[in-house]
Protein backbone atom coordinates (compact mmCIF):
# COMPACT_ATOMS: atom_id res chain seq x y z
CA UNK A 1 0.00 0.00 0.00
CA UNK A 2 0.89 3.59 0.56
CA UNK A 3 2.21 3.41 4.12
CA UNK A 4 -1.31 3.92 5.45
CA UNK A 5 -1.66 7.43 3.99
CA UNK A 6 -4.11 8.78 1.47
CA UNK A 7 -2.62 8.83 -2.05
CA UNK A 8 -3.83 12.36 -2.78
CA UNK A 9 -2.34 13.75 0.42
CA UNK A 10 1.04 12.12 -0.26
CA UNK A 11 1.03 13.40 -3.84
CA UNK A 12 0.43 16.95 -2.60
CA UNK A 13 3.20 16.56 0.04
CA UNK A 14 5.66 15.22 -2.55
CA UNK A 15 4.94 18.13 -4.93
CA UNK A 16 5.29 20.65 -2.08
CA UNK A 17 8.57 19.04 -1.01
CA UNK A 18 9.82 19.18 -4.61
CA UNK A 19 9.05 22.90 -4.71
CA UNK A 20 11.01 23.50 -1.50
CA UNK A 21 13.88 21.42 -2.89
CA UNK A 22 14.07 23.74 -5.88
CA UNK A 23 14.08 26.78 -3.58
CA UNK A 24 16.82 25.20 -1.41
CA UNK A 25 19.02 24.43 -4.42
CA UNK A 26 18.61 27.98 -5.78
CA UNK A 27 19.36 29.47 -2.34
CA UNK A 28 22.50 27.36 -1.92
CA UNK A 29 24.68 29.56 -4.09
CA UNK A 30 28.38 29.57 -3.08
CA UNK A 31 28.16 33.09 -1.60
CA UNK A 32 25.35 31.97 0.73
CA UNK A 33 27.08 28.86 2.03
CA UNK A 34 29.59 30.65 4.21
CA UNK A 35 31.52 28.40 6.55
CA UNK A 36 29.05 25.51 6.46
CA UNK A 37 29.13 24.23 2.88
CA UNK A 38 28.99 20.62 4.09
CA UNK A 39 25.86 21.40 6.12
CA UNK A 40 24.25 23.06 3.08
CA UNK A 41 25.03 19.97 1.03
CA UNK A 42 23.55 17.75 3.75
CA UNK A 43 20.41 19.86 3.98
CA UNK A 44 19.90 19.66 0.22
CA UNK A 45 20.53 15.89 0.25
CA UNK A 46 17.97 15.49 3.05
CA UNK A 47 15.39 17.63 1.25
CA UNK A 48 15.81 15.70 -1.99
CA UNK A 49 15.77 12.38 -0.11
CA UNK A 50 12.54 13.17 1.69
CA UNK A 51 10.95 14.32 -1.58
CA UNK A 52 11.91 11.02 -3.14
CA UNK A 53 10.51 9.15 -0.12
CA UNK A 54 7.19 11.02 -0.42
CA UNK A 55 7.07 10.33 -4.14
CA UNK A 56 7.75 6.61 -3.64
CA UNK A 57 5.08 6.39 -0.94
CA UNK A 58 2.55 8.23 -3.12
CA UNK A 59 3.15 6.65 -6.49
CA UNK A 60 4.80 3.23 -6.00
CA UNK A 61 2.54 0.68 -4.30
CA UNK A 62 4.32 -1.67 -1.90
CA UNK A 63 7.39 0.55 -1.56
CA UNK A 64 7.24 0.85 2.25
CA UNK A 65 10.73 -0.54 2.88
CA UNK A 66 12.27 1.63 0.13
CA UNK A 67 10.56 4.70 1.56
CA UNK A 68 12.13 3.93 4.95
CA UNK A 69 15.57 3.32 3.39
CA UNK A 70 15.50 6.59 1.43
CA UNK A 71 14.28 8.67 4.41
CA UNK A 72 16.79 7.15 6.86
CA UNK A 73 19.65 7.50 4.37
CA UNK A 74 18.77 11.16 3.70
CA UNK A 75 18.80 11.94 7.43
CA UNK A 76 22.06 10.01 7.87
CA UNK A 77 23.68 12.03 5.08
CA UNK A 78 22.71 15.24 6.88
CA UNK A 79 24.24 13.98 10.15
CA UNK A 80 27.41 12.89 8.30
CA UNK A 81 27.73 16.32 6.68
CA UNK A 82 27.33 18.11 10.02
CA UNK A 83 30.05 15.92 11.58
CA UNK A 84 32.32 16.42 8.52
CA UNK A 85 31.87 20.20 8.73
CA UNK A 86 32.91 20.21 12.39
CA UNK A 87 35.94 17.98 11.75
CA UNK A 88 37.01 20.08 8.75
CA UNK A 89 37.01 23.19 10.95
CA UNK A 90 39.64 21.60 13.21
CA UNK A 91 42.03 21.45 10.26
CA UNK A 92 41.19 24.75 8.54
CA UNK A 93 40.94 26.94 11.68
CA UNK A 94 44.59 26.70 12.70
CA UNK A 95 45.66 30.30 13.52
CA UNK A 96 45.31 31.04 17.24
CA UNK A 97 44.69 34.63 18.38
CA UNK A 98 43.13 36.41 21.34
CA UNK A 99 39.65 37.81 20.77
CA UNK A 100 37.28 40.00 22.74
CA UNK A 101 34.25 38.03 23.88
CA UNK A 102 31.05 39.94 22.98
CA UNK A 103 28.41 37.50 24.20
CA UNK A 104 26.56 34.51 22.82
CA UNK A 105 23.76 33.90 20.40
CA UNK A 106 21.37 31.49 22.10
CA UNK A 107 19.47 28.94 20.03
CA UNK A 108 16.82 26.68 21.54
CA UNK A 109 16.54 23.30 19.86
CA UNK A 110 13.27 21.49 19.19
CA UNK A 111 13.96 19.42 22.32
CA UNK A 112 14.25 22.52 24.49
CA UNK A 113 18.04 22.37 24.91
CA UNK A 114 19.99 25.61 24.56
CA UNK A 115 22.97 25.98 22.25
CA UNK A 116 25.37 28.89 22.71
CA UNK A 117 27.30 30.34 19.77
CA UNK A 118 30.01 32.76 20.95
CA UNK A 119 30.34 36.15 19.29
CA UNK A 120 33.86 37.60 19.24
CA UNK A 121 35.63 40.71 17.96
CA UNK A 122 39.24 40.49 16.80
CA UNK A 123 41.82 41.77 14.35
CA UNK A 124 43.73 39.74 11.82
CA UNK A 125 46.23 41.11 9.29
CA UNK A 126 45.10 44.68 9.88
CA UNK A 127 41.40 44.01 9.42
CA UNK A 128 38.71 43.98 12.13
CA UNK A 129 36.19 41.17 12.43
CA UNK A 130 33.16 40.66 14.63
CA UNK A 131 30.92 37.66 14.31
CA UNK A 132 29.70 34.39 15.68
CA UNK A 133 31.28 30.98 15.59
CA UNK A 134 29.36 28.15 13.93
CA UNK A 135 30.72 25.90 16.69
CA UNK A 136 28.45 25.84 19.74
CA UNK A 137 29.73 25.82 23.30
CA UNK A 138 28.26 24.83 26.65
CA UNK A 139 26.79 27.18 29.22
CA UNK A 140 29.81 26.76 31.52
CA UNK A 141 32.29 27.73 28.81
CA UNK A 142 30.10 30.71 27.90
CA UNK A 143 30.21 31.79 31.56
CA UNK A 144 34.01 31.39 31.69
CA UNK A 145 34.39 33.41 28.50
CA UNK A 146 32.17 36.17 29.90
CA UNK A 147 34.21 36.30 33.10
CA UNK A 148 37.53 36.37 31.21
CA UNK A 149 36.48 39.06 28.72
CA UNK A 150 38.96 37.77 26.15
CA UNK A 151 39.38 34.25 24.84
CA UNK A 152 41.72 32.43 22.47
CA UNK A 153 40.06 31.51 19.19
CA UNK A 154 41.27 29.61 16.16
CA UNK A 155 40.55 31.13 12.76
CA UNK A 156 40.82 30.06 9.15
CA UNK A 157 43.61 32.11 7.50
CA UNK A 158 41.89 31.68 4.11
CA UNK A 159 38.61 33.02 5.54
CA UNK A 160 39.39 34.94 8.77
CA UNK A 161 35.71 35.56 9.53
CA UNK A 162 35.43 31.83 10.29
CA UNK A 163 36.57 30.81 13.76
CA UNK A 164 36.13 28.18 16.44
CA UNK A 165 36.86 28.35 20.16
CA UNK A 166 38.34 24.86 20.54
CA UNK A 167 40.30 22.61 18.21
CA UNK A 168 38.95 19.29 19.35
CA UNK A 169 36.13 16.97 18.41
CA UNK A 170 33.17 17.78 20.62
CA UNK A 171 30.79 15.29 22.19
CA UNK A 172 28.05 16.69 19.94
CA UNK A 173 30.12 15.90 16.83
CA UNK A 174 30.71 12.34 18.06
CA UNK A 175 26.99 11.89 18.77
CA UNK A 176 26.04 13.15 15.31
CA UNK A 177 28.66 10.89 13.69
CA UNK A 178 27.37 7.85 15.63
CA UNK A 179 23.78 8.71 14.64
CA UNK A 180 24.87 8.91 11.01
CA UNK A 181 26.60 5.50 11.10
CA UNK A 182 23.63 3.96 12.94
CA UNK A 183 21.27 5.39 10.31
CA UNK A 184 23.31 4.00 7.42
CA UNK A 185 23.43 0.59 9.14
CA UNK A 186 19.65 0.64 9.74
CA UNK A 187 19.01 1.57 6.10
CA UNK A 188 21.29 -1.25 4.91
CA UNK A 189 19.58 -3.72 7.22
CA UNK A 190 16.13 -2.74 5.93
CA UNK A 191 17.38 -2.98 2.34
CA UNK A 192 18.86 -6.45 2.87
CA UNK A 193 15.79 -7.67 4.80
CA UNK A 194 13.34 -6.28 2.17
Amino acid sequence: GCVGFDLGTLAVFSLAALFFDAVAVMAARPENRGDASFVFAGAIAMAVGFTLAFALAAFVPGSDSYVAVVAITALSVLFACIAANNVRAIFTCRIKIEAEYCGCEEVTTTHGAKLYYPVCAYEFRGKSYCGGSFQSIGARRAQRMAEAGTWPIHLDPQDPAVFITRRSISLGTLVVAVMSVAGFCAALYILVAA
Side-chain angles (χ1 to χ4, degrees), residues 21 24 37-49 74 77-79 81-82:
D21 288 349
S37 56
F38 280 118
V39 177
F40 256 97
I44 289 171
M46 189 183 78
V48 171
V77 167
L78 175 66
F79 290 150
C81 288
I82 291 170

Side-chain angles (χ1 to χ4, degrees), residues 117-135:
Y117 293 89
V119 177
C120 294
Y122 53 95
E123 285 193 12
F124 182 68
R125 294 180 180 159
K127 188 172 177 184
S128 297
Y129 296 88
C130 184
S133 173
F134 70 87
Q135 182 188 60

Side-chain angles (χ1 to χ4, degrees), residues 52-140:
L52 180 58
F54 273 126
L56 282 172
F59 303 114
V60 182
S63 63
D64 297 7
S65 57
Y66 295 112
V67 169
V69 167
V70 170
I72 292 170
T73 300
L75 197 56
S76 299
V77 167
L78 175 66
F79 290 150
C81 288
I82 291 170
N85 196 64
N86 293 343
V87 170
R88 183 193 65 163
I90 293 171
F91 295 100
T92 59
C93 297
R94 58 185 185 275
I95 304 293
K96 184 177 180 180
I97 64 168
E98 283 291 316
E100 179 187 349
Y101 174 71
C102 302
C104 274
E105 295 174 0
E106 291 184 25
V107 176
T108 304
T109 67
T110 53
H111 303 294
K114 284 198 174 184
L115 298 175
Y116 301 90
Y117 293 89
V119 177
C120 294
Y122 53 95
E123 285 193 12
F124 182 68
R125 294 180 180 159
K127 188 172 177 184
S128 297
Y129 296 88
C130 184
S133 173
F134 70 87
Q135 182 188 60
S136 65
I137 60 173
R140 275 185 281 192

